[in-house]
Amino acid sequence: MWSGWSKTGTTVKQDRSCVSVVQMKCLLIASESAEVLFHWTDPEFQQNIQEQYGASQEEGQGLPAFEDSISTLFAPIIISCSTMVDRLGDNYTSFTTENNHIYVLHQFDECLYIAVNGDGEEGEDDLRRKIYVMKKMIEVMFGMVTLSSNLLRKELRPQDTDQRARLWKHLQSLLETYSHLRENDQSFLVEAVERLIHPTLCEQCIEFLERRLVQQLNSSVERAGEEVLHAFILVHTKLLAFYSSRNASTLPTSDLLALIIMAQNMYPSNVDLEDSGPEDVESTSGSGPESFYTPEPSPTDRDSSSSDKPVRGSTPVFEFVDPDIQMAEDSLRTLEVPPPDPSTPRRVFLEVSLKEGLYPMMPHSMYCLPLWPGITLVLLTKIPTTAVAMSVYTFLEAFANLEKRLSQGQEGSAATRGPPTIHDIRSKLDKFIKALGPSEIQSAQLQNVWTEFKNRAFTRGGPGFNKHLIPWCKHMKTQLCGIYRQCFLIDSGPADIPRRLSPSLQERAQTMVQEKLMDWKDFLLVKSKRNITMVSYLEDFPGLIHFICVDRSTGQMIAPSLNITERTTSELGKGPVARFIKSKVWNLVSTTRRYLQKGYSTVTLRDGDFYFCYFLWFENETGYKLEAGDIPILPDDSAPIGMLAWDYYSRKLLRYYSKNHQGEVVKCYELLTVHLGVIPTEIILQHCRQLASKLWEPSRNPLL
Amino acid sequence: MTPAACDCPAFLRRLSPRSREPSTAHTRRPAGVVSVRSPVTERFLRCFLRDFLSVMAELQPSDSGRCTYFFLYDGSKVKGEGDPTREGICYFYPEETPLDRQELLCGQLAGVGRCVSELSLSPVRVLQLRRNKFAIRMKDDFFWALGCSMDVPIVSVCELLDQLIDLFTFYNGSIRQSYQLNSQEALAARWAQYLSHLQSGSSELHHIFSCLRTIDSTNVDPLLLLKAALILQACQRCPLVLAGCILFRGRVVSTQMFPELTMKVMVHESETYTKAPRSNGQSSSSPSGGAVSSTTVFLTLSELQYLQSAPVDKDFSSHSTPHKDTVPPRKTRLSRTLSDMASTESEPSDPGSPPSPQKVSFSPDSTFSPVPSQSLEPPFSNGKHSHEAEEEALEESYYHSFHSNGGGGGGGGGDTSVFEEDSPLNGGRGDAACGTVFDFRESRSGNEESRDDEVQEEACRGGGVCGSTGDPLPPSPPPLPRSGALGDPEESPLVPMTLYMHRVKGLVLALLVELHFLSDTAATEEVYHSSLASLNGLEAHLRTISPGPPGPPGPYFFSHFDCIQSTLTTNLSGGPGGAPERPFVRATSLLHSHFCNTETLQEAIIRSAGAAVYGTRSVAQETFFQQHGASLRNSGIPNHQDSAFSLPSKARHRLLKHGVNLL
């Protein structure tokens, strides 16, 4: 009782009872001029805003009125942000109010993201993660257009209000899907992919995908120039089989997780179904897939969201600061809103690593084919014009580098040193523009800007390479992004030449896999809920309550299922107890991330009746444990630790660690355990050691 | 006293020669009277402060714990579009900041703060930038912001800001009123003073834990601590004295107040310390002048209630009821009785803590009789005798005071028996520590209550909450409803009291007394004379204690924070920039934040490549421990032979000799 002394805790508590509690959540993207580029709010937030604005605006007009009020309310914050950046070179990262509302702010280029939580369920780190995930989803959807704030702004805020409403609804639903997964799915908690543990079936499926499916698809004439690179089968969020064709590069975990979110968003795991025990699944399994399929609650939303690309019409005219530079107007023709076509693939932009180097945000088509509710086949294809994207990226990078050097004060040849040299770029870009000429892509503006650039940069006696060229670097980048946008974001081209796997081909693929898995379907649905269970560990690890083990090199995780539904009894008991343990596990993950961010790779905590452990370690390829080394210490507002939005482990940790292990393959593992507090520490540590050494040998591990 | 002899930090020493005049003016100010100061003085003061603050900044360039910005902004002065932001800036630290930057920060932060608080219907508490974190307090139109560098835990920044504002209120009363009554410059000097006082902690750990600086009790004869406690108890016999503390060279020897209040009192002590020889500055009503000073201070109702509910008073009032003859004491006693009753209900454990027995038996009337003070004369005059003589005198003085008072009590048989019953407890050498122990216990039980009160009050007037720090601590009993506390936030009652200080060289007796104490000659004389000899004796003893050899630091770092007494024990050298200590301090800071935010967390081991640190806490303490030199070469994979996991048992053994019991 004396701990009432500890200053902060009590005050918070007291405050909660005194101040009226408004629970609300919101995520807002705004331009520097306080224009709302996207917003997501929960009903409480909406209500709160409307109350503050009085009843006058809430009726009738719906979206625009709410949008106006939200932008008015946030405008002072947004404007203050740019003032702080301009005049102080610093920016806000978060606000906390006395009733524990948290505001997290982050600026990406000219887009300011603000995430708000008022119910105490998300901390600052969670909100920051949400912001980064939102940005990641936008990158997957818009690719390199995100590199031009100007274009992205127009992309995110189409002038046509219907189109805007559709796009925002889609983004909002993605965000909600992500939030739901993060709060309920362990693989999205730790941001690693969970595989279904059934080695035989997995192997069979991979073989099937390789020998039968992908081969057949890629040899079909109906593929319209597309080539299937990756194919995978998801059971809810868990991966049953993943196959990549030989000439495909590895799909990064970050992208795979983002794709799982998109698939989950398209075909959400039915919540009722999730709550039902295995018996219920059993009883309904006799009926055919069609009757079992739960229709979408609002088909229009779903349809529009799955086909918002082709719907895109009447894109506004670009308004540049410089009136001379008009972006080519590519889509003045107003498209009739076509009937939603489920076979239309989704354009996604994924990272590709080739021999030549790393190409982020390369265009792919994603086909999400539902096999049964909860089981989905996903195909990722390379589109025929990928080479254009690679060229654009090369040019973009070159101009970005040039701009950077020029703004650092370098001039002349110092600024233009390669590779690739500016002369290289010059000839390549000339060829590129020439090649674009006869195509439908409107490249006149790019041509003009490029000519002007060349005049300034290369003309004898001209200004040459100095800081006056910086705006022209920017113009070039914008134009290149515009070309990229025309190529990959707008379904240009005659409608009679479909640029996708034909619907019948898709259907055939769907049927093939359905046939293959027909006998396994019910098993898989149950297995996905009971992938591995604590029961198998109780005997060998008395006192162990839960664990999560993550292989960060492959981005995969293993953890016993945590079922917290009322109807099913798991090893953790029913509802409340299981929920309590679940909340402990979720807290543990965020706690250990905070310590990891500050350079601590081992954490043990005695908390209430539990003892928590966290270990992070490195091994070489042969499994030899490498010595623990320095881990970078990151600032509070650094990108969240995880793999979805930004791969901390490969981008930061391994890069940092590998400095002392050059030429060696370094693998990184994490283990989290929850034990009963009464178990002696030595025993707990022995358990951890056993788990750490056994878990990644599934074939040899009798427990799996 | 020469400044060099001070135990105060360097920058205060620098301050001392020149600061006398302004500070004196401050102390001279009677309650509620505006002190008018010439513009010349003001300018001098501002220039001086600027100098000294910049010197301070230079002296501590590497110390990241320091505050980077502090400002108070009055939004009511900038209402219209055309009003310049500078009109609203009441105080800005660092003062040499260019005005346009001051305006930028004040304007932007206050603006954003208002916007966010409107959205959330609650004042902003924390505002973080990429390179600075600000604790914010918004109250009425006032906006305070205290900025620290990123490595200070936000919990600590919030705490620092609360302390700063509380300090100002303690010495100046309500903010709005002080700004109506005083010039902005005068108040700016005070903010600067409080800020520098709060930042004067010698090590980075002091920025993490806001702690009281106490004398090193391992070096001090426990009997001296007992004596200090007895002096305070003797003073408390005067009903106009609420509570007191004894400080020696800026450190606490003994206190009857809860830590927050003691901390506040110490500001004035360190301020008067430097100008002790000057006697003209004090509003002295004491018989001897010189060493006695007083100033008006403002207590919150809850602080006052806590002080009045000290267990000793309860017995006192019940026992002394039959003795009440005169009107004035009856008055005070009556009010105490009422508040005592209220607090008894909320603190069932109170009767268990031993009351100061000797007090129980005496009526206030006897305390006021001039006889005992006369009997104290001899030891006073003997004050400069040898060590032993002094000791004798000291003890004698107690003896005298007990007996004379006992006699004054009217010779009732019951009184004497009470005294005799209790005297072995207090006088026995073997039980020497008892006095201090129950002194703490007393403050402990009271602390909590007062904290609740404060909390409630602060919450209600919209301040004082560290919102970002997350989870609340275990449920505390619902605060008692109090009249006033729930009323108009601006009018949240502040009760003026007098802070009375009696200085004997490096030793200070600080008492919180009722306002009319100073006009009550009998009372002042009584308190003065009854304590003077003992103070002299105590001072002589404490002065001779050399800070024993620091001892080998040991192959480990530790820090032990006593949450009840707000004291910190550590073996860190404490100087800024101690590179080997950095990992330990960093881990401590993280773990402390974690402990603050997670009520159920009991212990933690965290390991980076360079250091493994063990932290453990209970309701009463937080302890952090790091072993040096233990081979940290490991793979990070779980291993029960790993040295990191033996830290808990090592800490238990090693820290026993520092008086830290983790068993």
Side-chain angles (χ1 to χ4, degrees):
Chain A
M1 62 181 270
W2 287 334
S3 59
W5 254 115
S6 182
K7 284 98 193 170
T8 50
T10 4
T11 44
V12 170
K13 185 182 197 70
Q14 287 293 332
D15 208 49
R16 276 186 187 144
S17 60
C18 269
V19 180
S20 70
V21 179
V22 189
Q23 305 196 329
M24 51 183 207
K25 296 179 188 178
C26 162
L27 190 136
L28 176 77
I29 308 178
S31 71
E32 278 180 326
S33 53
E35 189 180 33
V36 176
L37 300 181
F38 168 72
H39 69 78
W40 168 85
T41 54
D42 66 349
E44 286 84 0
F45 192 91
Q46 198 155 348
Q47 201 185 337
N48 179 28
I49 299 257
Q50 275 159 356
E51 273 165 18
Q52 291 194 22
Y53 260 72
S56 60
Q57 291 195 6
E58 69 186 273
E59 289 307 320
Q61 298 166 36
L63 184 93
F66 178 67
E67 203 190 304
D68 284 349
S69 38
I70 204 173
S71 98
T72 315
L73 280 172
F74 277 97
I77 303 180
I78 298 163
I79 291 164
S80 183
C81 274
S82 26
T83 313
M84 293 296 273
V85 175
D86 291 348
R87 296 192 49 198
L88 206 63
D90 205 342
N91 203 352
Y92 303 112
T93 57
S94 75
F95 311 126
T96 311
T97 63
E98 291 186 2
N99 59 355
N100 260 344
H101 285 200
I102 304 175
Y103 293 65
V104 170
L105 300 91
H106 199 98
Q107 184 131 15
F108 296 105
D109 293 326
E110 285 159 37
C111 295
L112 176 68
Y113 288 60
I114 304 177
V116 184
N117 177 285
D119 67 1
E121 279 170 17
E122 293 164 298
E124 234 176 84
D125 297 341
D126 298 322
L127 292 177
R128 191 160 291 122
R129 186 175 301 276
K130 211 186 219 176
I131 285 175
Y132 271 85
V133 168
M134 194 66 220
K135 180 180 176 257
K136 168 77 186 181
M137 297 316 289
I138 288 174
E139 277 172 0
V140 169
M141 286 175 62
F142 297 102
M144 277 180 241
V145 171
T146 55
L147 299 181
S148 160
S149 307
N150 216 342
L151 292 184
L152 179 64
R153 215 173 59 214
K154 291 171 202 308
E155 226 33 73
L156 284 176
R157 192 188 161 87
Q159 293 221 312
D160 177 59
T161 43
D162 290 342
Q163 205 183 325
R164 193 190 307 164
R166 268 197 306 276
L167 173 64
W168 286 8
K169 206 156 204 165
H170 178 54
L171 288 172
Q172 284 161 358
S173 114
L174 274 177
L175 190 62
E176 277 165 9
T177 302
Y178 162 70
S179 297
H180 177 78
L181 291 176
R182 197 202 68 80
E183 283 156 25
N184 295 289
D185 198 304
Q186 293 185 80
S187 73
F188 281 88
L189 170 68
V190 297
E191 298 187 354
V193 180
E194 184 171 5
R195 280 180 172 276
L196 279 186
I197 309 284
H198 194 296
T200 345
L201 182 59
C202 288
E203 226 162 284
Q204 279 182 32
C205 285
I206 293 170
E207 201 179 306
F208 175 81
L209 290 178
E210 179 187 2
R211 304 261 165 86
R212 304 278 312 281
L213 187 77
V214 174
Q215 210 166 54
Q216 198 161 340
L217 290 176
N218 281 347
S219 56
S220 163
V221 287
E222 290 174 59
R223 67 188 170 100
E226 297 203 349
E227 180 193 343
V228 179
L229 294 178
H230 309 277
F232 55 92
I233 302 169
L234 289 173
V235 184
H236 295 301
T237 55
K238 297 185 177 66
L239 203 57
L240 169 64
F242 186 101
Y243 169 73
S244 293
S245 76
R246 273 174 231 301
N247 43 0
S249 83
T250 336
L251 186 66
T253 309
S254 165
D255 287 344
L256 181 53
L257 287 167
L259 295 175
I260 295 177
I261 293 176
M262 294 176 87
Q264 223 5 247
N265 186 45
M266 266 183 257
Y267 303 104
S269 302
N270 193 306
V271 181
D272 290 336
L273 198 69
E274 235 169 307
D275 269 2
S276 66
E279 308 79 27
D280 303 83
V281 176
E282 207 70 17
S283 65
T284 46
S285 61
S287 48
E290 262 65 47
S291 65
F292 189 62
Y293 181 69
T294 318
E296 298 300 333
S298 62
T300 37
D301 290 349
R302 186 58 56 195
D303 290 341
S304 65
S305 68
S306 62
S307 60
D308 60 298
K309 297 301 184 318
V311 170
R312 179 184 311 275
S314 65
T315 312
V317 175
F318 295 108
E319 300 142 334
F320 281 94
V321 191
D322 186 345
D324 292 339
I325 298 172
Q326 267 292 339
M327 172 57 67
E329 188 40 59
D330 44 67
S331 47
L332 271 176
R333 61 208 127 95
T334 42
L335 293 173
E336 292 293 301
V337 177
D341 181 358
S343 67
T344 307
R346 195 161 274 288
R347 175 59 36 84
V348 288
F349 297 92
L350 309 172
E351 184 185 294
V352 167
S353 53
L354 301 171
K355 287 189 296 291
E356 300 93 315
L358 196 70
Y359 292 92
M361 302 187 271
M362 287 296 122
H364 291 74
S365 286
M366 175 193 190
Y367 297 82
C368 227
L369 309 172
L371 303 175
W372 295 281
I375 307 182
T376 317
L377 169 70
V378 180
L379 302 173
L380 287 174
T381 63
K382 182 172 131 182
I383 60 170
T385 47
T386 306
V388 177
M390 288 166 67
S391 305
V392 170
Y393 177 72
T394 315
F395 298 136
L396 275 174
E397 204 184 21
F399 283 107
N401 283 337
L402 178 62
E403 185 189 333
K404 196 173 140 203
R405 287 190 204 126
L406 291 175
S407 54
Q408 282 167 358
Q410 302 182 27
E411 290 193 1
S413 57
T416 59
R417 66 173 187 268
T421 63
I422 194 70
H423 300 285
D424 242 6
I425 293 294
R426 181 181 176 177
S427 61
K428 277 188 185 156
L429 191 50
D430 280 336
K431 273 186 219 151
F432 179 74
I433 291 172
K434 209 169 173 188
L436 286 179
S439 77
E440 297 195 5
I441 292 163
Q442 302 184 15
S443 53
Q445 283 301 319
L446 172 66
Q447 171 88 61
N448 294 345
V449 176
W450 176 232
T451 311
E452 185 59 38
F453 183 95
K454 284 193 287 192
N455 285 341
R456 283 164 186 269
F458 299 110
T459 313
R460 239 175 257 279
F465 288 95
N466 57 33
K467 64 181 190 316
H468 299 295
L469 207 58
I470 292 177
W472 291 93
C473 289
K474 286 190 205 295
H475 294 326
M476 278 308 293
K477 278 162 47 187
T478 310
Q479 291 301 330
L480 286 164
C481 286
I483 295 291
Y484 177 94
R485 175 177 173 276
Q486 285 185 67
C487 291
F488 306 111
L489 275 184
I490 292 165
D491 232 8
S492 54
D496 52 325
I497 306 171
R499 299 192 168 185
R500 60 179 189 225
L501 307 179
S502 73
S504 64
L505 192 62
Q506 291 182 39
E507 213 169 291
R508 219 177 309 149
Q510 200 172 356
T511 321
M512 278 168 72
V513 186
Q514 270 173 345
E515 277 166 9
K516 166 75 188 165
L517 290 177
M518 184 55 97
D519 297 338
W520 293 96
K521 171 188 83 171
D522 300 326
F523 168 78
L524 287 174
L525 289 171
V526 176
K527 180 70 178 167
S528 77
K529 300 265 174 270
R530 294 261 191 284
N531 196 14
I532 57 171
T533 55
M534 269 311 295
V535 178
S536 16
Y537 294 86
L538 290 182
E539 208 170 300
D540 292 329
F541 301 94
L544 178 64
I545 295 171
H546 192 69
F547 68 85
I548 302 177
C549 199
V550 195
D551 176 350
R552 288 298 176 185
S553 334
T554 59
Q556 294 182 12
M557 56 87 73
I558 295 180
S561 318
L562 271 177
N563 286 321
I564 56 155
T565 53
E566 293 293 341
R567 270 186 275 171
T568 52
T569 309
S570 65
E571 304 74 47
L572 298 176
K574 281 202 175 192
V577 180
R579 262 202 296 278
F580 178 71
I581 291 169
K582 186 197 144 190
S583 77
K584 285 285 176 194
V585 172
W586 257 248
N587 280 339
L588 173 64
V589 170
S590 69
T591 302
T592 56
R593 275 175 178 156
R594 243 186 337 264
Y595 282 114
L596 186 59
Q597 190 185 40
K598 297 298 170 196
Y600 298 91
S601 58
T602 304
V603 177
T604 68
L605 307 165
R606 185 178 296 282
D607 183 350
D609 297 328
F610 300 102
Y611 197 89
F612 301 101
C613 297
Y614 169 77
F615 298 94
L616 178 142
W617 71 96
F618 301 98
E619 294 180 8
N620 71 7
E621 222 168 353
T622 59
Y624 177 76
K625 315 284 183 284
L626 301 171
E627 194 176 294
D630 268 330
I631 285 178
I633 299 171
L634 305 178
D636 289 350
D637 64 328
S638 58
I641 286 184
M643 302 187 95
L644 169 54
W646 179 73
D647 191 343
Y648 162 81
Y649 297 92
S650 70
R651 296 271 162 92
K652 196 85 197 178
L653 189 58
L654 283 173
R655 209 169 277 183
Y656 196 87
Y657 186 82
S658 304
K659 276 191 291 194
N660 301 323
H661 295 267
Q662 300 219 326
E664 203 173 351
V665 176
V666 178
K667 300 175 128 198
C668 173
Y669 294 92
E670 285 179 300
L671 174 70
L672 295 114
T673 60
V674 182
H675 276 84
L676 286 177
V678 291
I679 309 291
T681 324
E682 302 80 63
I683 308 282
I684 291 176
L685 293 166
Q686 274 172 22
H687 284 176
C688 292
R689 187 167 184 80
Q690 283 171 30
L691 281 171
S693 51
K694 274 186 186 171
L695 272 173
W696 294 107
E697 306 161 1
S699 51
R700 276 148 279 166
N701 186 355
L703 296 172
L704 291 175
Chain B
M1 170 152 311
T2 60
C6 315
D7 191 30
C8 63
F11 63 87
L12 278 183
R13 244 174 268 155
R14 289 184 76 102
L15 172 63
S16 51
R18 286 192 282 177
S19 68
R20 280 172 195 159
E21 194 166 356
S23 322
T24 308
H26 165 49
T27 36
R28 195 192 291 139
R29 186 178 68 93
V33 176
V34 188
S35 76
V36 183
R37 205 180 286 157
S38 77
V40 179
T41 324
E42 293 294 2
R43 207 169 309 132
F44 160 75
L45 181 65
R46 285 180 68 80
C47 291
F48 158 68
L49 270 169
R50 194 168 304 160
D51 288 347
F52 125 75
L53 287 170
S54 61
V55 163
M56 207 176 83
E58 281 161 26
L59 283 177
Q60 308 282 348
S62 65
D63 196 338
S64 50
R66 307 268 153 187
C67 116
T68 48
Y69 292 108
F70 168 69
F71 63 81
L72 169 59
Y73 180 76
D74 183 356
S76 67
K77 300 234 179 82
V78 192
K79 289 278 190 209
E81 279 291 309
D83 295 342
T85 311
R86 64 193 64 184
E87 290 296 311
I89 303 177
C90 297
Y91 176 67
F92 198 100
Y93 166 88
E95 296 186 24
E96 65 273 15
T97 311
L99 193 59
D100 60 335
R101 171 160 283 215
Q102 292 189 16
E103 284 193 314
L104 174 71
L105 274 168
C106 288
Q108 296 300 322
L109 263 52
V112 157
R114 198 172 55 234
C115 176
V116 170
S117 56
E118 274 168 14
L119 267 169
S120 283
L121 307 177
S122 168
V124 174
R125 183 59 180 147
V126 174
L127 196 156
Q128 300 205 54
L129 283 87
R130 282 208 312 274
R131 290 198 294 271
N132 276 300
K133 47 175 82 165
F134 286 87
I136 304 290
R137 176 89 79 87
M138 297 167 74
K139 190 184 157 198
D140 307 324
D141 281 319
F142 285 113
F143 184 93
W144 287 266
L146 176 74
C148 283
S149 65
M150 291 311 285
D151 44 3
V152 186
I154 194 65
V155 191
S156 311
V157 187
C158 290
E159 211 167 278
L160 190 63
L161 178 62
D162 288 347
Q163 282 181 355
L164 192 55
I165 297 172
D166 287 353
L167 256 184
F168 185 92
T169 318
F170 182 70
Y171 286 108
N172 302 281
S174 93
I175 303 280
R176 178 62 68 198
Q177 218 172 3
S178 345
Y179 271 92
Q180 281 160 356
L181 293 176
N182 298 284
S183 76
Q184 195 155 306
E185 286 75 15
L187 294 176
R190 285 184 209 161
W191 284 115
Q193 181 204 343
Y194 306 140
L195 192 60
S196 71
H197 177 83
L198 285 179
Q199 292 191 78
S200 63
S202 53
S203 77
E204 229 171 307
L205 282 177
H206 286 82
H207 302 301
I208 300 170
F209 307 99
S210 64
C211 49
L212 275 181
R213 284 151 47 94
T214 54
I215 54 165
D216 182 4
S217 55
T218 52
N219 271 331
V220 176
D221 183 352
L223 196 59
L224 288 178
L225 299 178
L226 174 63
K227 281 170 184 166
L230 287 176
I231 294 173
L232 292 175
Q233 287 173 354
C235 292
Q236 226 179 9
R237 257 176 259 152
C238 166
L240 298 177
V241 174
L242 282 159
C245 64
I246 292 181
L247 312 167
F248 184 70
R249 293 181 181 168
R251 291 173 181 271
V252 180
V253 180
S254 179
T255 179
Q256 293 175 316
M257 301 177 235
F258 47 91
E260 273 77 357
L261 198 53
T262 313
M263 259 180 243
K264 292 182 194 174
V265 167
M266 288 175 78
V267 176
H268 189 62
E269 191 272 338
S270 65
E271 184 195 9
T272 55
Y273 186 23
T274 52
K275 59 178 190 326
R278 291 171 67 119
S279 56
N280 59 348
Q282 281 79 25
S283 59
S284 164
S285 60
S286 75
S288 74
V292 172
S293 67
S294 69
T295 185
T296 304
V297 294
F298 298 85
L299 271 69
T300 63
L301 201 63
S302 49
E303 284 173 335
L304 187 66
Q305 262 161 343
Y306 161 61
L307 288 178
Q308 288 173 337
S309 68
V312 60
D313 288 348
K314 255 179 305 206
D315 297 8
F316 171 69
S317 55
S318 61
H319 277 255
S320 57
T321 313
H323 296 285
K324 277 180 203 155
D325 297 318
T326 50
V327 179
R330 182 190 295 268
K331 252 188 182 166
T332 44
R333 223 173 291 137
L334 192 61
S335 69
R336 285 185 183 196
T337 314
L338 286 173
S339 62
D340 289 346
M341 280 162 69
S343 70
T344 319
E345 282 161 14
S346 69
E347 290 180 58
S349 64
D350 255 356
S353 65
S356 330
Q358 70 276 28
K359 207 165 176 186
V360 166
S361 50
F362 309 124
S363 82
D365 306 8
S366 70
T367 328
F368 285 119
S369 76
V371 182
S373 69
Q374 277 162 17
S375 75
L376 285 175
E377 285 297 335
F380 177 40
S381 60
N382 285 343
K384 279 169 189 143
H385 277 190
S386 72
H387 187 86
E388 274 132 47
E390 264 172 339
E391 175 131 15
E392 242 170 64
L394 194 65
E395 258 149 26
E396 197 188 354
S397 79
Y398 276 107
Y399 183 79
H400 270 290
S401 82
F402 291 156
H403 276 273
S404 58
N405 282 316
D415 288 343
T416 325
S417 73
V418 168
F419 168 63
E420 277 167 5
E421 225 175 273
D422 287 307
S423 54
L425 174 71
N426 289 314
R429 205 166 260 271
D431 291 317
C434 265
T436 46
V437 167
F438 66 66
D439 192 29
F440 295 148
R441 204 179 300 165
E442 201 175 280
S443 67
R444 198 186 289 173
S445 57
N447 280 351
E448 192 197 16
E449 196 219 347
S450 88
R451 190 68 210 171
D452 282 346
D453 296 346
E454 272 178 10
V455 160
Q456 191 202 10
E457 199 182 305
E458 280 173 355
C460 292
R461 59 168 201 240
V465 181
C466 188
S468 75
T469 56
D471 299 347
L473 283 148
S476 47
L480 299 166
R482 285 176 215 295
S483 62
L486 295 168
D488 181 1
E490 176 56 22
E491 300 306 317
S492 79
L494 286 172
V495 187
M497 301 289 283
T498 298
L499 177 62
Y500 164 95
M501 284 212 175
H502 181 176
R503 173 176 296 283
V504 178
K505 296 175 189 153
L507 189 77
V508 167
L509 167 71
L511 299 172
L512 279 172
V513 296
E514 303 274 2
L515 280 180
H516 55 273
F517 173 80
L518 292 178
S519 52
D520 189 332
T521 325
T524 44
E525 290 201 359
E526 162 62 18
V527 166
Y528 180 80
H529 290 294
S530 70
S531 56
L532 184 57
S534 325
L535 288 174
N536 273 316
L538 189 59
E539 195 275 334
H541 278 287
L542 288 172
R543 184 156 33 95
T544 53
I545 291 166
S546 58
Y556 52 86
F557 289 134
F558 85 97
S559 60
H560 172 76
F561 179 64
D562 184 323
C563 320
I564 312 281
Q565 300 173 57
S566 288
T567 55
L568 184 72
T569 322
T570 177
N571 67 345
L572 295 199
S573 62
E581 304 172 359
R582 282 297 303 156
F584 178 71
V585 174
R586 231 165 50 79
T588 301
S589 149
L590 276 172
L591 285 168
H592 172 63
S593 295
H594 195 184
F595 281 138
C596 282
N597 292 333
T598 313
E599 59 184 80
T600 48
L601 184 64
Q602 298 146 35
E603 53 177 35
I605 299 168
I606 58 174
R607 179 173 54 197
S608 63
V613 176
Y614 167 68
T616 178
R617 74 104 170 261
S618 66
V619 286
Q621 53 87 26
E622 281 177 32
T623 304
F624 304 91
F625 180 82
Q626 179 197 334
Q627 179 90 15
H628 301 166
S631 164
L632 283 161
R633 303 208 160 262
N634 66 79
S635 63
I637 196 163
N639 179 359
H640 62 279
Q641 286 164 345
D642 199 326
S643 62
F645 303 112
S646 60
L647 283 176
S649 68
K650 284 206 182 97
R652 276 191 282 273
H653 290 120
R654 299 274 196 190
L655 298 188
L656 269 177
K657 77 167 181 227
H658 297 277
V660 177
N661 188 350
L662 295 176
L663 298 174

